[in-house]
Amino acid sequence: MAQQIRRSQATPNPKRILQRRTRLLSLGVVAFGARARHVSFVALEGSSNYLAGLVGVRGLRLALNTSVAVLVLSLPFAATAASTSDASRVQPLARGGSIAGSRNPLTVAAEGTRPVQEVTIHEGDTLATMANFYDVSVEAIAFANGLSDERALRMGQKLVIPPAEGALYTVKDGDTVDGIATHFKVDPSVILNYNRCTFEPEQCAPGQKIFVRGAELPALLEPDRPTRDVFAAAPQVAQQPRNGRLSWPVGGVITQYFWWGHTGVDVAAPYGTGLGAGDDGVVVATGWVAVGGLRVCVQHAGDLTVCYYHTSAVYVSVGQQVARGQIVAAIGLTGVTTGPHVHWECKVGNQFVSCLSL
């Protein structure tokens, strides 16, 4: 018998089957596309004939021409909008930030600094109360004004307040930046950078006032105070007359005044800022209380008791004598409070009064 020969193309091949089905599918897609185009052309022709029947051939031609004209006229505006939206992508940026289009010719003060201020001494003011109010040390104010004794203040006297903690110094003939830096025990770059002496040498010329931030200042002679037993009873302290109006506990912003529903004055200030005693007195209470948090109370003459609530720290103890302006506590967030502030509360006898009236 003759051997049967089997052609290779008659053998089922998965690859060829897949190719055949793919080809058939593509032919079906092409046929469907042709039918879709035919339907769309028929629909377009029908809609055109319908519109032509409504408005006429001339009306249809006018509508088409108007549409084309509006499209052409809108192209420049579309291009302008696109270029404006992409402008930020093509502008070069400096490594230190974006380049401004113009520069302010005025010198800009360094961040966190204040200008030098001149204030007038009023009744009840002391170097301690002024220092606490302007958030600088007593020594800084004394040096800026050439004072060596805290008792040298007079009513109506003008005081210069330095911009921060440091020395406000008037340059003399023969002074050098290195010599001034050595005298105040700071690095010369502190003077050069703060006062812009490198780029503006006239700022450090003789006769000019410069500020030496963080300078080591001479100690101030403190006034003699009568020695007392720290455990003396409060009525003995209350026999001393007050030194005028109560000084503010801190240089802050009043957020709530005294009224019948609020027993004190709320003064907001940065967290940790020192709170100064309003006058000479003796500490009669410290510690935690409900709502008020950590507090300290000081009794003064005239049966006046002043309390400071919501503090973060108390620096005195019960029975301790304190001086006007002495730091007794610090601004905090203890108790019920929505932000760092002090609830400054005054009581004469058992009657609450506004601290601002005393």
Side-chain angles (χ1 to χ4, degrees):
M1 288 180 65
Q3 187 177 2
Q4 184 178 2
I5 299 175
R6 190 174 186 181
R7 293 189 177 91
S8 59
Q9 60 268 27
T11 304
N13 190 325
K15 181 179 179 180
R16 293 181 179 276
I17 294 173
L18 180 60
Q19 290 176 348
R20 182 172 181 275
R21 291 184 178 179
T22 303
R23 186 168 60 255
L24 293 176
L25 180 61
S26 61
L27 292 176
V29 170
V30 172
F32 177 77
R35 286 194 296 271
R37 285 196 300 271
H38 176 71
V39 171
S40 62
F41 289 150
V42 171
L44 179 60
E45 183 179 1
S47 60
S48 300
N49 293 333
Y50 177 74
L51 290 176
L54 289 177
V55 298
V57 178
R58 290 186 178 181
L60 180 60
R61 187 178 302 168
L62 178 61
L64 293 175
N65 292 338
T66 304
S67 301
V68 172
V70 170
L71 178 62
V72 172
L73 292 175
S74 64
L75 289 177
F77 298 98
T80 303
S83 62
T84 302
S85 62
D86 293 340
S88 58
R89 295 189 300 173
V90 300
Q91 289 180 350
L93 295 179
R95 289 191 293 177
S98 60
I99 302 175
S102 61
R103 298 184 59 185
N104 190 344
L106 299 178
T107 301
V108 179
E111 184 178 356
T113 62
R114 303 187 302 248
V116 176
Q117 303 180 64
E118 186 179 78
V119 298
T120 303
I121 295 298
H122 298 283
E123 182 182 358
D125 288 339
T126 65
L127 282 181
T129 60
M130 302 300 287
N132 186 48
F133 187 85
Y134 290 102
D135 196 23
V136 293
S137 67
V138 173
E139 289 77 13
I141 297 180
F143 184 85
N145 295 274
L147 302 175
S148 58
D149 192 338
E150 187 176 345
R151 296 165 295 188
L153 291 183
R154 303 182 309 276
M155 289 282 294
Q157 179 180 353
K158 300 290 186 181
L159 273 189
V160 175
I161 307 297
E165 183 59 29
L168 197 60
Y169 177 74
T170 302
V171 181
K172 302 179 179 62
D173 289 331
D175 280 343
T176 63
V177 172
D178 290 338
I180 298 173
T182 301
H183 176 74
F184 290 108
K185 297 183 180 180
V186 298
D187 191 90
S189 61
V190 173
I191 301 175
L192 293 172
N193 294 337
Y194 188 95
N195 301 279
R196 299 183 59 85
C197 298
T198 302
F199 303 101
E200 302 175 15
E202 65 276 6
Q203 298 288 347
C204 295
Q208 294 292 324
K209 278 189 179 294
I210 63 172
F211 182 68
V212 185
R213 191 161 198 164
E216 184 174 309
L217 299 169
L220 184 66
L221 178 64
E222 295 184 359
D224 296 330
R225 300 188 183 275
T227 58
R228 290 180 176 270
D229 183 1
V230 296
F231 297 103
Q236 294 179 342
V237 177
Q239 293 175 2
Q240 296 182 356
R242 283 174 44 203
N243 296 329
R245 297 180 63 86
L246 282 180
S247 64
W248 274 47
V250 66
V253 178
I254 295 179
T255 56
Q256 187 171 183
Y257 286 88
F258 175 86
W259 54 291
W260 66 268
H262 188 249
T263 58
V265 178
D266 289 348
V267 184
Y271 185 92
T273 306
L275 295 169
D279 204 345
D280 295 344
V282 64
V283 180
V284 293
T286 61
W288 285 80
V289 294
V291 182
L294 185 60
R295 61 85 164 89
V296 56
C297 296
V298 180
Q299 185 170 357
H300 307 286
D303 202 17
L304 169 64
T305 303
V306 180
C307 295
Y308 310 91
Y309 292 89
H310 306 306
T311 66
S312 59
V314 173
Y315 305 129
V316 292
S317 56
V318 175
Q320 180 178 343
Q321 181 184 350
V322 295
R324 182 184 181 91
Q326 179 179 339
I327 303 300
V328 296
I331 289 284
L333 287 166
T334 57
V336 180
T337 175
T338 57
H341 76 281
V342 60
H343 178 80
W344 182 26
E345 185 178 273
C346 296
K347 184 188 293 185
V348 177
N350 293 323
Q351 183 69 34
F352 289 108
V353 295
S354 173
C355 297
L356 299 176
S357 65
L358 299 175

PDB file of all heavy atoms in Angstrom, residues 292-317:
ATOM      1  N   GLY A 292      -8.650  77.619  86.459  1.00  0.00           N
ATOM      2  CA  GLY A 292      -7.557  78.591  86.362  1.00  0.00           C
ATOM      3  C   GLY A 292      -6.192  77.989  86.144  1.00  0.00           C
ATOM      4  O   GLY A 292      -5.260  78.691  85.752  1.00  0.00           O
ATOM      5  N   GLY A 293      -6.033  76.686  86.399  1.00  0.00           N
ATOM      6  CA  GLY A 293      -4.754  76.042  86.203  1.00  0.00           C
ATOM      7  C   GLY A 293      -3.733  76.471  87.254  1.00  0.00           C
ATOM      8  O   GLY A 293      -4.066  76.741  88.408  1.00  0.00           O
ATOM      9  N   LEU A 294      -2.473  76.552  86.844  1.00  0.00           N
ATOM     10  CA  LEU A 294      -1.393  76.946  87.747  1.00  0.00           C
ATOM     11  C   LEU A 294      -1.447  78.455  87.951  1.00  0.00           C
ATOM     12  O   LEU A 294      -1.417  79.221  87.000  1.00  0.00           O
ATOM     13  CB  LEU A 294      -0.050  76.537  87.155  1.00  0.00           C
ATOM     14  CG  LEU A 294       1.188  76.765  88.030  1.00  0.00           C
ATOM     15  CD1 LEU A 294       1.093  75.981  89.327  1.00  0.00           C
ATOM     16  CD2 LEU A 294       2.457  76.368  87.252  1.00  0.00           C
ATOM     17  N   ARG A 295      -1.494  78.901  89.231  1.00  0.00           N
ATOM     18  CA  ARG A 295      -1.644  80.324  89.501  1.00  0.00           C
ATOM     19  C   ARG A 295      -0.756  80.753  90.650  1.00  0.00           C
ATOM     20  O   ARG A 295      -0.264  79.930  91.437  1.00  0.00           O
ATOM     21  CB  ARG A 295      -3.109  80.675  89.787  1.00  0.00           C
ATOM     22  CG  ARG A 295      -3.745  79.997  90.996  1.00  0.00           C
ATOM     23  CD  ARG A 295      -3.492  80.730  92.311  1.00  0.00           C
ATOM     24  NE  ARG A 295      -4.373  80.304  93.366  1.00  0.00           N
ATOM     25  CZ  ARG A 295      -4.139  79.305  94.196  1.00  0.00           C
ATOM     26  NH1 ARG A 295      -3.054  78.562  94.044  1.00  0.00           N
ATOM     27  NH2 ARG A 295      -4.978  79.015  95.183  1.00  0.00           N
ATOM     28  N   VAL A 296      -0.583  82.067  90.772  1.00  0.00           N
ATOM     29  CA  VAL A 296       0.138  82.670  91.885  1.00  0.00           C
ATOM     30  C   VAL A 296      -0.606  83.942  92.275  1.00  0.00           C
ATOM     31  O   VAL A 296      -1.081  84.679  91.401  1.00  0.00           O
ATOM     32  CB  VAL A 296       1.604  82.978  91.516  1.00  0.00           C
ATOM     33  CG1 VAL A 296       1.693  83.867  90.288  1.00  0.00           C
ATOM     34  CG2 VAL A 296       2.334  83.630  92.681  1.00  0.00           C
ATOM     35  N   CYS A 297      -0.742  84.178  93.588  1.00  0.00           N
ATOM     36  CA  CYS A 297      -1.445  85.359  94.100  1.00  0.00           C
ATOM     37  C   CYS A 297      -0.513  86.153  95.006  1.00  0.00           C
ATOM     38  O   CYS A 297       0.212  85.566  95.825  1.00  0.00           O
ATOM     39  CB  CYS A 297      -2.699  84.963  94.877  1.00  0.00           C
ATOM     40  SG  CYS A 297      -3.961  84.135  93.870  1.00  0.00           S
ATOM     41  N   VAL A 298      -0.551  87.475  94.856  1.00  0.00           N
ATOM     42  CA  VAL A 298       0.295  88.374  95.636  1.00  0.00           C
ATOM     43  C   VAL A 298      -0.603  89.384  96.337  1.00  0.00           C
ATOM     44  O   VAL A 298      -1.492  89.969  95.700  1.00  0.00           O
ATOM     45  CB  VAL A 298       1.319  89.104  94.734  1.00  0.00           C
ATOM     46  CG1 VAL A 298       2.193  90.035  95.562  1.00  0.00           C
ATOM     47  CG2 VAL A 298       2.176  88.098  93.964  1.00  0.00           C
ATOM     48  N   GLN A 299      -0.354  89.602  97.641  1.00  0.00           N
ATOM     49  CA  GLN A 299      -1.131  90.589  98.388  1.00  0.00           C
ATOM     50  C   GLN A 299      -0.338  91.886  98.496  1.00  0.00           C
ATOM     51  O   GLN A 299       0.861  91.887  98.760  1.00  0.00           O
ATOM     52  CB  GLN A 299      -1.476  90.092  99.793  1.00  0.00           C
ATOM     53  CG  GLN A 299      -2.379  91.065 100.544  1.00  0.00           C
ATOM     54  CD  GLN A 299      -2.912  90.487 101.832  1.00  0.00           C
ATOM     55  OE1 GLN A 299      -2.650  89.336 102.153  1.00  0.00           O
ATOM     56  NE2 GLN A 299      -3.667  91.279 102.579  1.00  0.00           N
ATOM     57  N   HIS A 300      -1.055  93.005  98.254  1.00  0.00           N
ATOM     58  CA  HIS A 300      -0.448  94.330  98.295  1.00  0.00           C
ATOM     59  C   HIS A 300      -1.141  95.179  99.354  1.00  0.00           C
ATOM     60  O   HIS A 300      -2.076  94.725 100.023  1.00  0.00           O
ATOM     61  CB  HIS A 300      -0.564  95.000  96.918  1.00  0.00           C
ATOM     62  CG  HIS A 300      -0.024  94.169  95.803  1.00  0.00           C
ATOM     63  ND1 HIS A 300       1.318  93.983  95.574  1.00  0.00           N
ATOM     64  CD2 HIS A 300      -0.672  93.435  94.845  1.00  0.00           C
ATOM     65  CE1 HIS A 300       1.493  93.199  94.524  1.00  0.00           C
ATOM     66  NE2 HIS A 300       0.292  92.849  94.065  1.00  0.00           N
ATOM     67  N   ALA A 301      -0.674  96.414  99.491  1.00  0.00           N
ATOM     68  CA  ALA A 301      -1.281  97.327 100.459  1.00  0.00           C
ATOM     69  C   ALA A 301      -2.728  97.610 100.071  1.00  0.00           C
ATOM     70  O   ALA A 301      -3.128  97.463  98.912  1.00  0.00           O
ATOM     71  CB  ALA A 301      -0.479  98.627 100.511  1.00  0.00           C
ATOM     72  N   GLY A 302      -3.514  98.059 101.048  1.00  0.00           N
ATOM     73  CA  GLY A 302      -4.903  98.392 100.783  1.00  0.00           C
ATOM     74  C   GLY A 302      -5.792  97.187 100.636  1.00  0.00           C
ATOM     75  O   GLY A 302      -6.828  97.256  99.962  1.00  0.00           O
ATOM     76  N   ASP A 303      -5.391  96.062 101.257  1.00  0.00           N
ATOM     77  CA  ASP A 303      -6.177  94.828 101.194  1.00  0.00           C
ATOM     78  C   ASP A 303      -6.420  94.385  99.751  1.00  0.00           C
ATOM     79  O   ASP A 303      -7.472  93.851  99.403  1.00  0.00           O
ATOM     80  CB  ASP A 303      -7.528  95.015 101.910  1.00  0.00           C
ATOM     81  CG  ASP A 303      -8.133  93.674 102.356  1.00  0.00           C
ATOM     82  OD1 ASP A 303      -7.386  92.686 102.393  1.00  0.00           O
ATOM     83  OD2 ASP A 303      -9.349  93.637 102.640  1.00  0.00           O
ATOM     84  N   LEU A 304      -5.415  94.628  98.886  1.00  0.00           N
ATOM     85  CA  LEU A 304      -5.501  94.267  97.461  1.00  0.00           C
ATOM     86  C   LEU A 304      -4.762  92.961  97.214  1.00  0.00           C
ATOM     87  O   LEU A 304      -3.592  92.817  97.611  1.00  0.00           O
ATOM     88  CB  LEU A 304      -4.901  95.376  96.592  1.00  0.00           C
ATOM     89  CG  LEU A 304      -4.688  95.041  95.109  1.00  0.00           C
ATOM     90  CD1 LEU A 304      -6.017  94.785  94.419  1.00  0.00           C
ATOM     91  CD2 LEU A 304      -3.916  96.169  94.420  1.00  0.00           C
ATOM     92  N   THR A 305      -5.424  92.017  96.579  1.00  0.00           N
ATOM     93  CA  THR A 305      -4.809  90.750  96.186  1.00  0.00           C
ATOM     94  C   THR A 305      -4.886  90.620  94.668  1.00  0.00           C
ATOM     95  O   THR A 305      -5.965  90.779  94.079  1.00  0.00           O
ATOM     96  CB  THR A 305      -5.526  89.550  96.841  1.00  0.00           C
ATOM     97  OG1 THR A 305      -5.502  89.709  98.266  1.00  0.00           O
ATOM     98  CG2 THR A 305      -4.832  88.244  96.472  1.00  0.00           C
ATOM     99  N   VAL A 306      -3.752  90.351  94.048  1.00  0.00           N
ATOM    100  CA  VAL A 306      -3.671  90.204  92.591  1.00  0.00           C
ATOM    101  C   VAL A 306      -3.246  88.778  92.279  1.00  0.00           C
ATOM    102  O   VAL A 306      -2.245  88.289  92.827  1.00  0.00           O
ATOM    103  CB  VAL A 306      -2.680  91.207  91.975  1.00  0.00           C
ATOM    104  CG1 VAL A 306      -2.624  91.026  90.453  1.00  0.00           C
ATOM    105  CG2 VAL A 306      -3.055  92.634  92.329  1.00  0.00           C
ATOM    106  N   CYS A 307      -3.995  88.102  91.407  1.00  0.00           N
ATOM    107  CA  CYS A 307      -3.699  86.721  91.025  1.00  0.00           C
ATOM    108  C   CYS A 307      -3.433  86.630  89.521  1.00  0.00           C
ATOM    109  O   CYS A 307      -4.036  87.361  88.727  1.00  0.00           O
ATOM    110  CB  CYS A 307      -4.859  85.795  91.397  1.00  0.00           C
ATOM    111  SG  CYS A 307      -5.139  85.651  93.180  1.00  0.00           S
ATOM    112  N   TYR A 308      -2.559  85.701  89.177  1.00  0.00           N
ATOM    113  CA  TYR A 308      -2.190  85.461  87.779  1.00  0.00           C
ATOM    114  C   TYR A 308      -2.447  83.982  87.493  1.00  0.00           C
ATOM    115  O   TYR A 308      -1.800  83.102  88.083  1.00  0.00           O
ATOM    116  CB  TYR A 308      -0.720  85.807  87.547  1.00  0.00           C
ATOM    117  CG  TYR A 308      -0.336  87.175  88.082  1.00  0.00           C
ATOM    118  CD1 TYR A 308       0.140  87.326  89.388  1.00  0.00           C
ATOM    119  CD2 TYR A 308      -0.452  88.311  87.294  1.00  0.00           C
ATOM    120  CE1 TYR A 308       0.486  88.574  89.887  1.00  0.00           C
ATOM    121  CE2 TYR A 308      -0.103  89.574  87.782  1.00  0.00           C
ATOM    122  CZ  TYR A 308       0.359  89.687  89.084  1.00  0.00           C
ATOM    123  OH  TYR A 308       0.698  90.926  89.580  1.00  0.00           O
ATOM    124  N   TYR A 309      -3.398  83.708  86.573  1.00  0.00           N
ATOM    125  CA  TYR A 309      -3.828  82.340  86.291  1.00  0.00           C
ATOM    126  C   TYR A 309      -3.316  81.865  84.916  1.00  0.00           C
ATOM    127  O   TYR A 309      -2.869  82.663  84.091  1.00  0.00           O
ATOM    128  CB  TYR A 309      -5.353  82.254  86.308  1.00  0.00           C
ATOM    129  CG  TYR A 309      -5.968  82.450  87.681  1.00  0.00           C
ATOM    130  CD1 TYR A 309      -6.299  83.716  88.129  1.00  0.00           C
ATOM    131  CD2 TYR A 309      -6.215  81.366  88.517  1.00  0.00           C
ATOM    132  CE1 TYR A 309      -6.877  83.900  89.388  1.00  0.00           C
ATOM    133  CE2 TYR A 309      -6.793  81.531  89.770  1.00  0.00           C
ATOM    134  CZ  TYR A 309      -7.115  82.815  90.202  1.00  0.00           C
ATOM    135  OH  TYR A 309      -7.671  82.994  91.445  1.00  0.00           O
ATOM    136  N   HIS A 310      -3.416  80.546  84.702  1.00  0.00           N
ATOM    137  CA  HIS A 310      -3.043  79.860  83.444  1.00  0.00           C
ATOM    138  C   HIS A 310      -1.534  79.897  83.205  1.00  0.00           C
ATOM    139  O   HIS A 310      -1.078  79.792  82.066  1.00  0.00           O
ATOM    140  CB  HIS A 310      -3.765  80.468  82.237  1.00  0.00           C
ATOM    141  CG  HIS A 310      -5.242  80.527  82.352  1.00  0.00           C
ATOM    142  ND1 HIS A 310      -6.012  79.425  82.640  1.00  0.00           N
ATOM    143  CD2 HIS A 310      -6.119  81.574  82.241  1.00  0.00           C
ATOM    144  CE1 HIS A 310      -7.286  79.767  82.691  1.00  0.00           C
ATOM    145  NE2 HIS A 310      -7.377  81.069  82.470  1.00  0.00           N
ATOM    146  N   THR A 311      -0.733  80.046  84.242  1.00  0.00           N
ATOM    147  CA  THR A 311       0.718  80.160  84.063  1.00  0.00           C
ATOM    148  C   THR A 311       1.330  78.802  83.733  1.00  0.00           C
ATOM    149  O   THR A 311       0.767  77.741  84.037  1.00  0.00           O
ATOM    150  CB  THR A 311       1.369  80.733  85.327  1.00  0.00           C
ATOM    151  OG1 THR A 311       1.220  79.791  86.398  1.00  0.00           O
ATOM    152  CG2 THR A 311       0.730  82.060  85.712  1.00  0.00           C
ATOM    153  N   SER A 312       2.509  78.841  83.115  1.00  0.00           N
ATOM    154  CA  SER A 312       3.237  77.608  82.816  1.00  0.00           C
ATOM    155  C   SER A 312       4.254  77.278  83.897  1.00  0.00           C
ATOM    156  O   SER A 312       4.692  76.129  84.016  1.00  0.00           O
ATOM    157  CB  SER A 312       3.957  77.733  81.466  1.00  0.00           C
ATOM    158  OG  SER A 312       4.869  78.827  81.479  1.00  0.00           O
ATOM    159  N   ALA A 313       4.653  78.285  84.686  1.00  0.00           N
ATOM    160  CA  ALA A 313       5.617  78.071  85.765  1.00  0.00           C
ATOM    161  C   ALA A 313       5.461  79.194  86.781  1.00  0.00           C
ATOM    162  O   ALA A 313       5.116  80.322  86.425  1.00  0.00           O
ATOM    163  CB  ALA A 313       7.041  78.038  85.226  1.00  0.00           C
ATOM    164  N   VAL A 314       5.731  78.861  88.044  1.00  0.00           N
ATOM    165  CA  VAL A 314       5.714  79.846  89.136  1.00  0.00           C
ATOM    166  C   VAL A 314       7.104  79.877  89.749  1.00  0.00           C
ATOM    167  O   VAL A 314       7.668  78.826  90.087  1.00  0.00           O
ATOM    168  CB  VAL A 314       4.652  79.486  90.198  1.00  0.00           C
ATOM    169  CG1 VAL A 314       4.760  80.410  91.403  1.00  0.00           C
ATOM    170  CG2 VAL A 314       3.260  79.570  89.601  1.00  0.00           C
ATOM    171  N   TYR A 315       7.665  81.070  89.882  1.00  0.00           N
ATOM    172  CA  TYR A 315       9.049  81.221  90.331  1.00  0.00           C
ATOM    173  C   TYR A 315       9.171  81.693  91.782  1.00  0.00           C
ATOM    174  O   TYR A 315      10.286  81.984  92.234  1.00  0.00           O
ATOM    175  CB  TYR A 315       9.773  82.211  89.425  1.00  0.00           C
ATOM    176  CG  TYR A 315       9.708  81.844  87.961  1.00  0.00           C
ATOM    177  CD1 TYR A 315       9.288  82.771  87.007  1.00  0.00           C
ATOM    178  CD2 TYR A 315      10.047  80.568  87.525  1.00  0.00           C
ATOM    179  CE1 TYR A 315       9.221  82.440  85.664  1.00  0.00           C
ATOM    180  CE2 TYR A 315       9.980  80.216  86.185  1.00  0.00           C
ATOM    181  CZ  TYR A 315       9.563  81.167  85.263  1.00  0.00           C
ATOM    182  OH  TYR A 315       9.496  80.827  83.938  1.00  0.00           O
ATOM    183  N   VAL A 316       8.085  81.805  92.497  1.00  0.00           N
ATOM    184  CA  VAL A 316       8.111  82.260  93.890  1.00  0.00           C
ATOM    185  C   VAL A 316       7.340  81.271  94.743  1.00  0.00           C
ATOM    186  O   VAL A 316       6.658  80.379  94.229  1.00  0.00           O
ATOM    187  CB  VAL A 316       7.494  83.677  94.021  1.00  0.00           C
ATOM    188  CG1 VAL A 316       8.367  84.714  93.336  1.00  0.00           C
ATOM    189  CG2 VAL A 316       6.081  83.703  93.442  1.00  0.00           C
ATOM    190  N   SER A 317       7.442  81.430  96.070  1.00  0.00           N
ATOM    191  CA  SER A 317       6.756  80.532  96.990  1.00  0.00           C
ATOM    192  C   SER A 317       5.951  81.346  97.982  1.00  0.00           C
ATOM    193  O   SER A 317       6.166  82.559  98.152  1.00  0.00           O
ATOM    194  CB  SER A 317       7.771  79.647  97.723  1.00  0.00           C
ATOM    195  OG  SER A 317       8.741  80.448  98.385  1.00  0.00           O
TER     196      SER A 317
END
